[in-house]
């Protein structure tokens, strides 16, 4: 286990250097490799003082594993300077992991080794590091195990937000090798390329995508949207059965896969569409699984012939994935002569027919206007087999969304702020002005509160953790949405 841990740590350092070389995570204060090493140290310090003190064996493990020459008093100082003794530490994502996620989720690197697996490799290194650290102490306690479990859950939840978490991930170290002639870091296996089953297993693991169950769990974990979750789960069941029939050489159910999402702004339509694209790819229904978002402006041109070309370009980009058309009704509502929205619709209808096995179209917008849109062309309604309605969020659901946004950005609400915001959201939901936008209102509210808090913090000249993290009632007062 010690050899594997050492190899994984070196692998993470190598990936950090490669991420830096790609221009991701470049920081004048500290290179990403050093940041990852310090993050590991803070993590072990978090575990070390579970019982109030650190043993010589634990100190030796830290120095030996991470290559430090620290004394006991150094860790005591680190514990307080980095706040590893505070409960908030177990809810704070390591700095280096954020850049690993950016490298994976942002598709900013062309590397073939550990493609889209850099972040999960770092997380699994944390798991093995924590397990090894606890196991080397014969006096392992239940409290240590709980602390490790809580920290790992926080890391896993962070990866799930970006679709990068893989349950029971099997990660093997790949040692970094420096090519001194080019000074570029490359990767090679410590045992060479391998052959037979070992090589096949690596290739299969490389190609493996997040499971349907995990993505459905991600969907079902979203706040609210109970009817949407019900519909999507039924839809996925239908697609899974179609896949099973296809594998048995049977005919698949003849069902259109195109969808209508109707609902007010900020109700999660784009989020659900993005998850569906990944689920369909996992089921083999779509080859790419990308979501291409577009509105009227991305489809309609200003002169004859331009609209068909623009629409065709967007369709080409979406082949193998989902084309998501927001405010689709804008293509046909209230348009007179000289408008080319109908040309875009006609081009889309032909593309949907020509690419029925490689393109899924989701049209979205306000419920009433979407009904008018579908009635504007005899061929439109017949192309869409399923209609999913996104209900407005309740005040309680909007508050839960606000708390999730705060957690993601490392903010907390004071008790007074929490009660004030609950009242604010209830009043807004009861009245629902014309510009009511559900989760978008919550996002705007939080952004303005953060701006107000920043001004308050600068004026107070306090920069301790609690002051920087806490949002007070006064930060929300006077905000108009």
């Amino acid at each position: 286990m010690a050899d594997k841990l050492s190899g994984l740590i070196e692998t993470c350092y190598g990936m950090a250097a490669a991420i830096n070389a790609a221009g991701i995570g470049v920081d004048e204060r500290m290179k990403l490799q050093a940041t990852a090493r310090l993050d590991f140290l803070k993590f072990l310090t978090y575990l070390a003082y579970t019982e109030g003190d650190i043993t010589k064996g634990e100190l030796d493990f830290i120095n030996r594993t991470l290559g430090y020459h620290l004394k006991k008093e150094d860790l005591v100082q680190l514990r307080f300077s980095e706040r590893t003794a505070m409960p908030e530490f177990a809810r704070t994502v390591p700095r280096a992991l954020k850049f690993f996620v950016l490298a994976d989720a942002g598709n900013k690197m062309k590397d073939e080794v550990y493609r889209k697996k850099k972040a999960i490799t770092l997380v699994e290194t944390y798991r093995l590091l924590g397990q090894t650290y606890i196991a080397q102490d014969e006096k392992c306690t239940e409290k240590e195990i709980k602390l490790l479990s809580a920290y790992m859950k926080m890391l896993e939840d962070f990866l799930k937000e970006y679709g990068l978490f893989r349950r029971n991930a099997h990660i093997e170290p790949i040692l970094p090798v420096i090519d001194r002639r080019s000074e570029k870091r490359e990767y090679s296996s410590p045992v060479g390329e391998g052959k037979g089953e070992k090589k096949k297993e690596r290739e299969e693991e490389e190609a493996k995508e997040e499971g349907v169950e995990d993505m459905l769990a991600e969907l079902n974990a979203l706040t609210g949207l109970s009817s949407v979750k019900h519909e999507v789960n039924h839809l996925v069941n239908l697609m899974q059965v179609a896949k099973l029939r296809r594998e048995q050489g049977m005919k698949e159910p003849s069902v259109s896969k195109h969808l209508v999402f109707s609902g007010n702004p900020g109700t999660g339509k784009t989020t659900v569409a993005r998850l569906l694209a990944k689920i369909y790819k996992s089921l083999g229904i779509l080859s790419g699984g990308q979501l291409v978002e577009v509105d009227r402006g991305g489809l309609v041109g200003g002169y004859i012939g331009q609209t068909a070309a623009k629409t065709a370009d967007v369709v080409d980009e979406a082949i193998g994935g989902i084309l998501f058309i927001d405010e689709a009704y804008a293509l046909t509502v209230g348009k007179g002569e000289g408008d080319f929205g109908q040309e875009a619709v006609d081009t889309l209808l032909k593309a949907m027919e020509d690419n029925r096995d490689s393109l899924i179209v989701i049209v979205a917008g306000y419920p009433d206007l979407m009904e008018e849109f579908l009635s504007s062309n005899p061929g439109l309604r017949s192309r869409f087999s399923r209609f999913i309605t996104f209900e407005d969020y309740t005040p309680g659901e909007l508050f839960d969304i606000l708390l999730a946004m705060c957690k993601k950005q490392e903010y907390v609400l004071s008790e007074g702020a929490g009660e004030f915001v609950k009242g604010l959201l209830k009043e807004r939901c009861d009245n629902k002005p014309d510009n009511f936008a559900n989760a978008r209102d919550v996002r705007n509210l939080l952004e303005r509160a953060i701006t107000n808090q920043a001004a308050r913090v600068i004026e107070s000249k306090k920069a301790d953790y609690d002051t920087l993290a806490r949002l007070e009632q006064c930060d929300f007062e006077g905000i108009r949405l």
Side-chain angles (χ1 to χ4, degrees), residues 2 12 20 50 118 130 132 158 161 192 237 239 295 382 390 394 405 435 473-474:
C12 290
N20 261 154
T50 305
K118 290 177 281 296
T132 307
F158 182 65
E161 292 181 17
N237 289 340
M239 296 300 108
D295 57 13
S382 63
F390 288 69
T394 65
M405 290 178 179
N435 66 338
Q473 177 176 333
C474 61

Coordinates of all heavy atoms in Angstrom, one line a residue, residues 2 12 20 50 118 130 132 158 161 192 237 239 295 382 390 394 405 435 473-474:
A2 N 2.0 1.2 0.8 CA 2.9 2.3 0.8 C 3.5 2.7 -0.5 O 3.6 3.9 -0.9 CB 4.0 2.1 1.8
C12 N 0.1 12.6 -8.9 CA -0.6 13.9 -8.7 C 0.4 15.1 -8.9 O 0.0 16.1 -9.5 CB -1.2 14.0 -7.3 SG -2.6 12.8 -7.1
N20 N -0.1 23.0 -14.9 CA 0.6 24.3 -14.9 C 1.1 24.7 -16.3 O 1.0 25.8 -16.8 CB 1.7 24.4 -13.9 CG 1.3 25.1 -12.6 OD1 1.8 24.8 -11.5 ND2 0.3 26.0 -12.6
T50 N -7.0 14.7 16.0 CA -8.3 14.2 16.4 C -8.4 14.0 17.9 O -9.4 14.3 18.6 CB -8.6 12.8 15.7 OG1 -8.5 13.0 14.3 CG2 -10.0 12.3 16.0
K118 N -8.0 13.2 -13.9 CA -7.0 13.9 -13.0 C -7.6 14.2 -11.7 O -7.0 14.0 -10.6 CB -6.5 15.1 -13.7 CG -5.6 14.8 -14.9 CD -5.1 16.0 -15.6 CE -6.1 16.6 -16.5 NZ -6.5 15.7 -17.6
G130 N -5.4 9.2 3.6 CA -6.0 9.2 4.9 C -6.1 7.8 5.5 O -5.9 7.6 6.7
T132 N -4.2 5.2 4.9 CA -2.9 4.7 5.3 C -2.4 5.4 6.6 O -1.8 4.8 7.5 CB -1.8 5.0 4.2 OG1 -2.3 4.4 3.0 CG2 -0.5 4.4 4.5
F158 N -18.1 17.6 -4.5 CA -17.5 18.6 -5.4 C -17.3 18.1 -6.8 O -17.7 18.7 -7.8 CB -16.2 19.1 -4.8 CG -15.6 20.2 -5.6 CD1 -16.2 21.5 -5.7 CD2 -14.4 20.0 -6.3 CE1 -15.6 22.5 -6.5 CE2 -13.8 21.0 -7.0 CZ -14.4 22.3 -7.1
E161 N -20.6 17.7 -8.8 CA -21.1 19.0 -9.4 C -20.7 19.1 -10.8 O -21.3 19.8 -11.6 CB -20.7 20.2 -8.5 CG -21.3 20.2 -7.2 CD -20.8 21.4 -6.4 OE1 -20.3 22.4 -7.0 OE2 -21.0 21.4 -5.1
G192 N 6.1 0.0 -18.1 CA 6.0 0.0 -19.6 C 4.6 0.0 -20.1 O 3.6 0.2 -19.3
N237 N -35.9 5.0 -18.1 CA -36.3 3.6 -18.1 C -36.7 3.1 -19.5 O -36.3 2.0 -19.9 CB -37.5 3.4 -17.2 CG -37.2 3.5 -15.7 OD1 -36.0 3.4 -15.3 ND2 -38.1 3.8 -14.9
M239 N -35.6 4.3 -22.4 CA -34.4 4.3 -23.2 C -33.5 3.0 -22.8 O -32.9 2.4 -23.6 CB -33.6 5.5 -23.0 CG -34.2 6.8 -23.5 SD -34.6 6.8 -25.2 CE -36.4 6.6 -25.2
D295 N -30.4 30.2 -28.9 CA -31.7 30.9 -28.9 C -31.9 31.4 -30.3 O -31.2 31.1 -31.3 CB -31.7 32.0 -27.9 CG -30.6 33.0 -28.0 OD1 -30.0 33.0 -29.1 OD2 -30.4 33.8 -27.1
S382 N -45.9 17.1 -34.0 CA -45.7 15.6 -34.2 C -44.3 15.2 -34.0 O -44.0 14.0 -33.8 CB -46.1 15.2 -35.6 OG -45.3 15.9 -36.6
F390 N -41.8 22.3 -15.9 CA -40.9 22.7 -14.8 C -41.7 23.7 -14.0 O -41.9 24.9 -14.4 CB -39.6 23.3 -15.3 CG -38.7 22.3 -15.9 CD1 -39.0 21.7 -17.1 CD2 -37.5 22.0 -15.3 CE1 -38.1 20.8 -17.7 CE2 -36.6 21.1 -15.8 CZ -36.9 20.5 -17.0
T394 N -40.8 26.6 -4.7 CA -41.4 27.1 -3.5 C -40.4 28.0 -2.7 O -39.2 27.9 -3.0 CB -41.9 26.0 -2.6 OG1 -40.7 25.3 -2.1 CG2 -42.8 25.0 -3.3
M405 N -25.7 27.4 -2.9 CA -24.9 28.4 -3.6 C -23.9 28.9 -2.6 O -22.7 29.1 -3.0 CB -25.7 29.5 -4.2 CG -26.5 29.1 -5.4 SD -27.5 30.5 -6.1 CE -28.3 29.7 -7.5
N435 N -41.0 39.8 -13.7 CA -39.6 39.4 -13.9 C -39.2 38.3 -12.9 O -38.0 38.1 -12.7 CB -38.7 40.6 -13.7 CG -38.7 41.2 -12.2 OD1 -39.6 40.9 -11.5 ND2 -37.6 41.9 -11.9
Q473 N -27.6 40.1 7.9 CA -28.9 40.6 7.4 C -28.8 41.9 6.7 O -29.4 42.1 5.6 CB -29.9 40.8 8.6 CG -31.2 41.3 8.2 CD -32.2 41.4 9.3 OE1 -32.1 40.6 10.3 NE2 -33.1 42.3 9.3
C474 N -27.9 42.7 7.2 CA -27.7 44.0 6.5 C -27.2 43.9 5.1 O -27.4 44.8 4.3 CB -26.7 44.9 7.3 SG -25.1 44.2 7.5

